[in-house]
Amino acid sequence: MTNGATSPVTAATLKVEHSPLLSPTSSQSVTETVNGSHRFVIQGYSLAKGMGIGKHIVSDNFTVGGYRWAIYFYPDGKNPEDSSTYVSVFIALASEGTDVRALFELTLMDQSGKGKHKVHSHFDGSLESGPYTLKYRGSMWGYKRFFRRALLETSDYLKDDCLIINCTVGVVVSVIDCSRLHSIQVPESDIGAHFGMLLENMEGSDITFDVAGEKFHSHKLVLAARSPVFRSEIFDGVDEQKKEMVITDLEPRVFKLSCDQTASNT
């Protein structure tokens, strides 16, 4: 090979280093509804009737899914073309919001006890176009022809000049959920057992206790960390470098039990 020439790269000379394979990651998108309900009692229906087409009675605001909502009841209807033939009921977004997606249910309660409520619901069937979208504050969903007024006034829905409307709102929310996919079971601590093994095999021991002639090998740091008495005896004495201590006021079996409990409570 002459100066300045390059040698060919062959399979034998080419060495490719592969980076280690990283563990795969994963996440899960969960779309669900945050649901809440409000009961709107309309007392004095006969006095509200005749207020005019497009005129309404409105409930107090209630909060579902971080947004405020209100129920609008039109005793003479909302649509001028219907000439007060129907009552109208709507649910409105009462707070600031853009493109709020939600499911709705409006129920006119049967007050006879028979349970034959008048229900208009998004919740009990599949929606071809998905949840309803409210574009801005004041946007409404409901029915201009909710119930024919002449029938309403002779029905079990009206009792003692009172109507009860129950509204359920389900605000659609989407979240990324990783907790169930990456949950880690943390085992119970077995450090006490490990310290107990140190007492048994004397590995790394740096102090010896002479108790009535019986020798016990242990570790200064472990005993000092777990027992104020041992800490005082080991480190607060005149000679901190001492390798052996004589215990005169305990029997060997009592001293061993004390050391075992000190280690196991770690």
Side-chain angles (χ1 to χ4, degrees), residues 45 48-57 72-90 143-149 152-153:
Y45 164 79
K49 184 176 64 173
M51 66 169 47
I53 297 173
K55 303 293 184 179
H56 59 262
I57 299 171
Y72 283 72
F73 175 71
Y74 298 80
D76 297 320
K78 193 173 186 291
N79 188 4
E81 297 177 359
D82 289 333
S83 302
S84 301
T85 305
Y86 296 89
V87 297
S88 305
V89 181
F90 284 81
Y143 295 89
K144 292 180 179 179
R145 297 181 175 182
F146 185 77
F147 208 97
R148 186 177 289 271
R149 197 166 72 170
L152 175 66
E153 294 172 359

Side-chain angles (χ1 to χ4, degrees), residues 199 207 209 218-231 234 255 258-259 262-263:
L199 291 176
I207 189 169
F209 292 91
S218 190
H219 306 77
K220 292 181 179 180
L221 291 178
V222 174
L223 295 175
R226 298 302 300 162
S227 169
V229 175
F230 280 129
R231 183 188 308 115
I234 295 172
F255 180 81
S258 175
C259 290
T262 299

Side-chain angles (χ1 to χ4, degrees), residues 28 31 51 83 122-123 130 176 194 197 212 236 241 260 262:
Q28 176 176 303
T31 301
M51 66 169 47
S83 302
H122 278 162
F123 288 89
I176 298 298
H194 290 168
M197 292 171 59
D236 294 344
Q241 303 300 320
D260 289 343
T262 299

Side-chain angles (χ1 to χ4, degrees), residues 48-64:
K49 184 176 64 173
M51 66 169 47
I53 297 173
K55 303 293 184 179
H56 59 262
I57 299 171
V58 62
S59 72
D60 191 13
N61 290 346
F62 58 97
T63 301
V64 179

Side-chain angles (χ1 to χ4, degrees), residues 93-155:
L93 179 63
S95 61
E96 297 299 331
T98 302
D99 294 334
V100 181
R101 302 175 68 236
L103 303 178
F104 302 103
E105 181 175 279
L106 289 170
T107 304
L108 185 60
M109 305 301 294
D110 177 6
Q111 300 187 69
S112 69
K114 300 174 184 176
K116 296 181 179 180
H117 310 301
K118 176 71 172 179
V119 181
H120 295 277
S121 179
H122 278 162
F123 288 89
D124 55 3
S126 60
L127 300 175
E128 294 182 359
S129 57
Y132 193 82
T133 300
L134 295 134
K135 296 290 186 180
Y136 45 81
R137 180 178 181 178
S139 297
M140 291 183 167
W141 173 90
Y143 295 89
K144 292 180 179 179
R145 297 181 175 182
F146 185 77
F147 208 97
R148 186 177 289 271
R149 197 166 72 170
L151 295 178
L152 175 66
E153 294 172 359
T154 58
S155 71

Side-chain angles (χ1 to χ4, degrees), residues 131-206:
Y132 193 82
T133 300
L134 295 134
K135 296 290 186 180
Y136 45 81
R137 180 178 181 178
S139 297
M140 291 183 167
W141 173 90
Y143 295 89
K144 292 180 179 179
R145 297 181 175 182
F146 185 77
F147 208 97
R148 186 177 289 271
R149 197 166 72 170
L151 295 178
L152 175 66
E153 294 172 359
T154 58
S155 71
D156 290 330
Y157 304 114
L158 182 64
K159 181 179 180 181
D160 298 330
D161 208 26
C162 174
L163 294 172
I164 301 174
I165 299 174
N166 194 69
C167 174
T168 300
V169 178
V171 178
V172 179
V173 296
S174 295
V175 296
I176 298 298
D177 183 10
C178 300
S179 59
R180 285 174 289 186
L181 300 176
H182 299 285
S183 60
I184 299 175
Q185 297 295 329
V186 179
E188 294 184 3
S189 174
D190 55 0
I191 191 171
H194 290 168
F195 280 129
M197 292 171 59
L198 289 178
L199 291 176
E200 294 295 331
N201 59 27
M202 299 182 294
E203 182 179 352
S205 63
D206 54 5

